[in-house]
Amino acid sequence: MAYETPVATTAPDAPRDGAPGPGAAARRTKRPGSGHRLGPTDRLAVIAMVVVPTVLVIGLVWLPAVASVVLSFTSWNGIGPLEADDWIGLENYRNVTTNYPPFWPAVQNNLLWLAFTFLVPTLLGILLAVLLDKELKGSRIYQTALYLPVVLSLALVGFIWQLIYSRDQGLLNEVLGTQVDWYGDQSVNIWAVLVASAWRHTGYIMLIYLAGLKGVDGSLREAAAMDGSGEVSTFFRVVLPVMRPINLVVLVIVVIESLRAFDIVWVVNRGTNGLELIATLVTQNVVGEASRIGFGSALATFMLIISSVFIALYLRVVMKEER
Amino acid sequence: MSRPLTSAEHLARLVPGSVLATRAATRRSFLRATALTGAAVATPALLAGCGGDSGGGGGGGVSFGSNEIGDIVAEQRQAMAAGFTEASGTAVELNEVDHNTFQENINTYLQGNPDDVFSWFAGDRMRFFADQGLIGDVSSIYPIQGIAESFQEAATGNDGNQYFVPQAYYPWAVFYRKSVFAERGYAVPATYDELVALCQRMQADSLIPIAFGDADGWPAMGTFDMLNMRINGFDFHIELMQGEASWDSPEVRSVFDTWRELLPYHQPDALGRTWQEAAQTLQQRTSGMYVLGTFINEQFPDDEDDLDFFTFPEIDPAIGADAIDAPIDGFCMAADPSDEEAALAFLEYLASPEAAAAAGTTGLPIIPANSEADTSKLSALQQKSVELVSQAKSIAQFLDRDTRPDVASTVILPSLQEFIRNPDGVDSLVKDIESQARSIFEQG
């Protein structure tokens, strides 16, 4: 397969017989591209279309990522050039894993975030989308109400929930008559924040799914109904498989949203006291004065590794699909 | 709006200004904050002047980078810039940048093309950049008339030269309501025992003795500083901050032990509460005292007159109570200013009584670092701050300004929160702090 280039096939063929036989001619016309060659302008356009995005992706994504990994082996503070004695090998990784108490809670919280986001808001969003797809009375209003939180930035969501969760002046304690320190008590604050983030995420998933459901061919459902399939089994056996691309997109969104979870926790207490996330630890170490760029890069590398696992899984599924 | 005090708080300002303003706002100050935010939004012309790349005033002028925009401090700086131009004829090109943006970009700002003169903080946060050669030596204008020796010291880098010009400060103390103390017959405590006795009386009167909110992490640093300087003295504070003394030491343990004794008198569940919410309890007379900086007055918009403070009481008579936290704000010069002479003249002006007078024209004066400045226009609270600082023998800058910023924000801040959550785990806590701090000090 790799040798089926035009050069490889024509070279032994043409010069041996003085006049090429009909078979050779037929083969030549079948060759892709030889019939309508690209003009120089088109060729340039194709090259530009390939080269420009490649350069951008390499320059803006891959180089910084690699640089970040490289910096994780240094004690660079972000000022001046890298010097020889900045190289400290695996020291940062050793410190991150053994001499940095917030790290393991952060990993745990990120994974919890992932599991929770998948189990609660995603499934709830799908359920709501299915219900709204039924064209209930006032479905527009429900749709708008449920989607509204998505328009708000997570930082604003954090603030809104602060009014609800505040221990002394908050709505929730007022209504329940309790004195729970929702944002301060380590045993509840991560759940409090997860609920706030789910409040926003549900509407997002709902909208994506709703759009997908609208795209499902109505005749499929009719056919299923004719065959005596009930609502539930139609959904699981017909609609859900048809929506496979949407399901994949939703899955990817869940993973991305969970790994980059940051803003809401940052608003609450900047990712300390039980709300540690890898992203907040990276920011704490890298942003601002006297930065621990090397240490923060080591943390970021952990994040890169975790994301890579999911990216690899996703690519595997997508590639399989294409084949 | 609130004046950010610590790097931790600046980090917190990653949040859009509008959100933060409302977040900081409590029922009372909500409208005020909204109005101020509105004002900030309504002045896009100022925002357009942002960006640290506009340095190099050119034409003999001075470019002036300010980390305040759209608030009273920004107005004060505008007035001072105008005052200098009037007095010297040198034009000042003011580049105002949002506080939080300025803070986060300070590294790139200083390595790029910084303004000739820019706002910064005294103490270690200045020394760090002085060590890196990123800010200019201004020792030629020292000594400055009216600038006390303690202030000059806070402006001095590790090499003995000055790199900073102090302008204003705000001390930390124990705040209370005069009317509450008068009504209940409380007396200002002078010793630790009196403080504990007062706390017990307040509890009996069903008041929260000491208001406390540490959601942001830095307010607890103020309490730690106070206890540390009362128990171990100012010199130990500096040694500890500089990494010369160990966190895993009997001295630090005794600070935490004393704190543990006081914690039952603190407002419970502090970790979920912002300092503004805690200040509100003092405002609403449900708590009796609050250890904080003078910026607490912004939570008392209508009755600041009732607010008073005393310095944290003496714990060890051999140490006394004459060391305080009073962070100093001021200005630095770029390492390579376009017109050094003009920049130095401007810096000298900024530290002068004239600059303080110019700032006073905005209606809210600064607490001037210059002892010769006219203090007659200061509020009673500010007057008292001046008195407190002038009587103090040693002035610390605050934990996160006296130690490396990375140690403060990534190690100490979460550790103090951990202590508040679990006051009985001091043994492993101090070991953890020391081992982390060591790893940072050794690398840097």
Side-chain angles (χ1 to χ4, degrees):
Chain A
M1 195 172 158
Y3 288 102
E4 257 181 279
T5 56
V7 189
T9 43
T10 42
D13 227 342
R16 224 184 346 196
D17 331 352
R27 219 180 301 153
R28 200 169 290 160
T29 47
K30 252 192 251 163
R31 236 181 282 133
S34 61
H36 18 254
R37 285 199 143 200
L38 289 175
T41 343
D42 293 341
R43 203 177 273 254
L44 272 179
V46 169
I47 291 175
M49 276 192 247
V50 173
V51 169
V52 171
T54 311
V55 167
L56 283 179
V57 167
I58 290 181
L60 298 179
V61 179
W62 284 103
L63 284 184
V66 170
S68 183
V69 174
V70 170
L71 284 175
S72 71
F73 299 107
T74 70
S75 62
W76 193 50
N77 61 8
I79 294 172
L82 264 177
E83 279 155 29
D85 57 351
D86 282 337
W87 293 95
I88 53 169
L90 290 172
E91 183 73 13
N92 283 329
Y93 289 92
R94 204 180 56 80
N95 274 328
V96 165
T97 49
T98 63
N99 196 10
Y100 193 48
F103 176 68
W104 291 111
V107 173
Q108 211 178 321
N109 286 343
N110 265 106
L111 294 177
L112 178 68
W113 203 287
L114 183 64
F116 181 89
T117 309
F118 180 74
L119 286 178
V120 181
T122 307
L123 297 187
L124 195 63
I126 292 176
L127 180 70
L128 289 172
V130 172
L131 292 179
L132 284 177
D133 192 39
K134 300 243 169 287
E135 305 284 342
L136 308 168
K137 220 179 192 180
S139 99
R140 285 279 153 139
I141 294 172
Y142 294 129
Q143 210 170 311
T144 316
L146 289 167
Y147 189 68
L148 201 63
V150 185
V151 189
L152 308 174
S153 75
L154 264 177
L156 202 57
V157 171
F159 166 63
I160 291 172
W161 283 85
Q162 186 127 34
L163 295 177
I164 295 173
Y165 283 139
S166 164
R167 180 186 176 280
D168 308 329
Q169 304 164 356
L171 176 76
L172 197 57
N173 278 340
E174 205 81 30
V175 170
L176 298 178
T178 51
Q179 285 226 311
V180 179
D181 185 11
W182 295 104
Y183 270 168
D185 184 343
Q186 281 202 7
S187 56
V188 292
N189 61 4
I190 186 78
W191 298 105
V193 169
L194 281 172
V195 166
S197 127
W199 175 68
R200 180 173 183 269
H201 196 68
T202 306
Y204 190 26
I205 298 295
M206 179 201 76
L207 197 80
I208 293 172
Y209 228 77
L210 199 56
L213 283 173
K214 299 272 184 230
V216 173
D217 192 347
S219 56
L220 280 175
R221 291 176 203 237
E222 273 170 39
M226 295 275 254
D227 287 343
S229 167
E231 287 262 347
V232 175
S233 89
T234 306
F235 178 75
F236 281 106
R237 297 195 180 178
V238 179
V239 177
L240 203 61
V242 169
M243 298 216 355
R244 194 181 148 83
I246 301 284
N247 294 337
L248 263 181
V249 167
V250 166
L251 199 66
V252 169
I253 287 174
V254 168
V255 171
I256 291 174
E257 288 279 317
S258 309
L259 287 175
R260 62 167 208 171
F262 173 83
D263 338 32
I264 193 165
V265 160
W266 197 254
V267 183
V268 175
N269 65 4
R270 294 178 332 285
T272 56
N273 181 40
L275 296 185
E276 295 87 357
L277 291 174
I278 304 181
T280 64
L281 298 185
V282 172
T283 310
Q284 282 165 13
N285 280 285
V286 166
V287 169
E289 0 161 4
S291 340
R292 298 169 84 183
I293 305 275
F295 189 80
S297 299
L299 285 163
T301 305
F302 277 105
M303 216 160 130
L304 186 69
I305 293 170
I306 298 176
S307 339
S308 306
V309 170
F310 289 103
I311 292 169
L313 282 176
Y314 171 68
L315 287 180
R316 232 183 95 118
V317 172
V318 171
M319 300 270 194
K320 225 188 211 167
E321 193 129 298
E322 280 178 358
R323 215 173 285 154
Chain B
M1 245 179 299
S2 68
R3 190 187 308 181
L5 293 157
T6 66
S7 62
E9 195 186 353
H10 304 139
L11 283 175
R13 299 201 166 200
L14 264 186
V15 181
S18 54
V19 175
L20 207 99
T22 27
R23 179 183 167 213
T26 45
R27 286 163 190 163
R28 274 175 157 270
S29 63
F30 184 84
L31 283 175
R32 197 167 55 108
T34 320
L36 279 169
T37 317
V41 172
T43 47
L46 291 175
L47 284 163
C50 281
D53 53 353
S54 46
V62 180
S63 64
F64 177 25
S66 167
N67 59 355
E68 293 285 349
I69 191 161
D71 61 5
I72 189 82
V73 184
E75 276 176 45
Q76 289 169 346
R77 295 209 173 133
Q78 288 157 9
M80 290 187 282
F84 177 66
T85 307
E86 205 171 291
S88 68
T90 310
V92 176
E93 186 204 334
L94 182 61
N95 295 313
E96 292 180 319
V97 180
D98 159 63
H99 203 114
N100 154 45
T101 314
F102 189 86
Q103 219 63 37
E104 278 154 27
N105 296 324
I106 186 71
N107 274 348
T108 29
Y109 173 74
L110 291 179
Q111 290 182 85
N113 190 9
D115 296 302
D116 299 336
V117 171
F118 61 91
S119 49
W120 198 239
F121 316 102
D124 230 52
R125 290 168 82 173
M126 167 275 294
R127 287 190 192 103
F128 177 81
F129 291 121
D131 285 347
Q132 312 283 338
L134 291 177
I135 51 181
D137 184 346
V138 298
S139 49
S140 62
I141 60 171
Y142 274 90
I144 301 172
Q145 201 175 350
I147 297 294
E149 208 162 303
S150 56
F151 283 17
Q152 179 167 342
E153 199 165 304
T156 305
N158 292 324
D159 62 358
N161 294 325
Q162 285 75 38
Y163 289 90
F164 176 84
V165 171
Q167 186 182 59
Y169 57 85
Y170 31 94
W172 279 61
V174 187
F175 287 83
Y176 65 93
R177 260 182 180 281
K178 279 185 255 185
S179 59
V180 171
F181 268 48
E183 213 172 278
R184 314 240 183 191
Y186 299 145
V188 166
T191 65
Y192 180 72
D193 291 337
E194 285 176 24
L195 177 69
V196 172
L198 178 60
C199 286
Q200 283 163 350
R201 260 189 79 185
M202 285 182 174
Q203 262 180 346
D205 294 342
S206 56
L207 275 180
I208 300 160
I210 303 172
F212 197 30
D214 196 40
D216 296 311
W218 54 264
M221 293 177 178
T223 308
F224 180 89
D225 274 356
M226 284 295 178
L227 291 170
N228 189 27
M229 286 194 286
R230 292 294 174 266
I231 295 170
N232 302 310
F234 177 75
D235 293 339
F236 181 81
H237 166 79
I238 293 298
E239 283 168 29
L240 185 66
M241 295 299 116
Q242 296 302 311
E244 288 154 19
S246 166
W247 282 82
D248 185 10
S249 62
E251 287 89 348
V252 175
R253 278 163 203 265
S254 105
V255 171
F256 282 118
D257 289 343
T258 311
W259 199 350
R260 192 187 310 111
E261 281 171 28
L262 281 178
L263 266 185
Y265 306 118
H266 281 72
Q267 205 171 358
D269 295 338
L271 296 177
R273 190 180 297 113
T274 62
W275 71 263
Q276 289 96 338
E277 287 176 297
Q280 280 294 304
T281 62
L282 190 69
Q283 205 275 335
Q284 290 155 5
R285 299 162 203 268
T286 51
S287 65
M289 299 175 274
Y290 193 12
V291 179
L292 208 72
T294 46
F295 54 89
I296 191 179
N297 67 352
E298 75 179 51
Q299 295 294 319
F300 290 71
D302 305 324
D303 42 10
E304 190 188 310
D305 296 344
D306 195 32
L307 198 60
D308 201 352
F309 63 80
F310 55 87
T311 190
F312 197 90
E314 171 186 294
I315 295 179
D316 180 348
I319 301 284
D322 51 14
I324 57 164
D325 265 339
I328 305 169
D329 283 351
F331 306 91
C332 288
M333 185 178 75
D336 186 20
S338 56
D339 181 349
E340 186 163 341
E341 215 168 293
L344 288 171
F346 184 42
L347 282 168
E348 205 166 359
Y349 168 81
L350 286 171
S352 70
E354 291 78 36
T361 60
T362 57
L364 185 77
I366 56 172
I367 304 177
N370 195 309
S371 61
E372 292 179 3
D374 175 21
T375 55
S376 61
K377 282 189 190 136
L378 301 190
S379 70
L381 204 66
Q382 286 178 318
Q383 298 269 17
K384 205 168 172 197
S385 306
V386 175
E387 205 177 298
L388 176 70
V389 170
S390 62
Q391 283 167 2
K393 237 184 233 156
S394 323
I395 298 169
Q397 289 300 302
F398 200 69
L399 197 150
D400 71 356
R401 295 190 184 193
D402 279 331
T403 191
R404 296 176 52 121
D406 43 9
V407 174
S409 61
T410 68
V411 180
I412 313 293
L413 188 153
S415 301
L416 293 185
Q417 288 188 328
E418 174 63 23
F419 168 75
I420 293 160
R421 195 181 71 79
N422 174 22
D424 295 320
V426 168
D427 198 51
S428 69
L429 186 74
V430 290
K431 285 198 173 81
D432 270 356
I433 300 179
E434 177 59 18
S435 127
Q436 291 178 76
R438 202 50 51 213
S439 79
I440 296 178
F441 274 112
E442 274 164 14
Q443 278 180 16

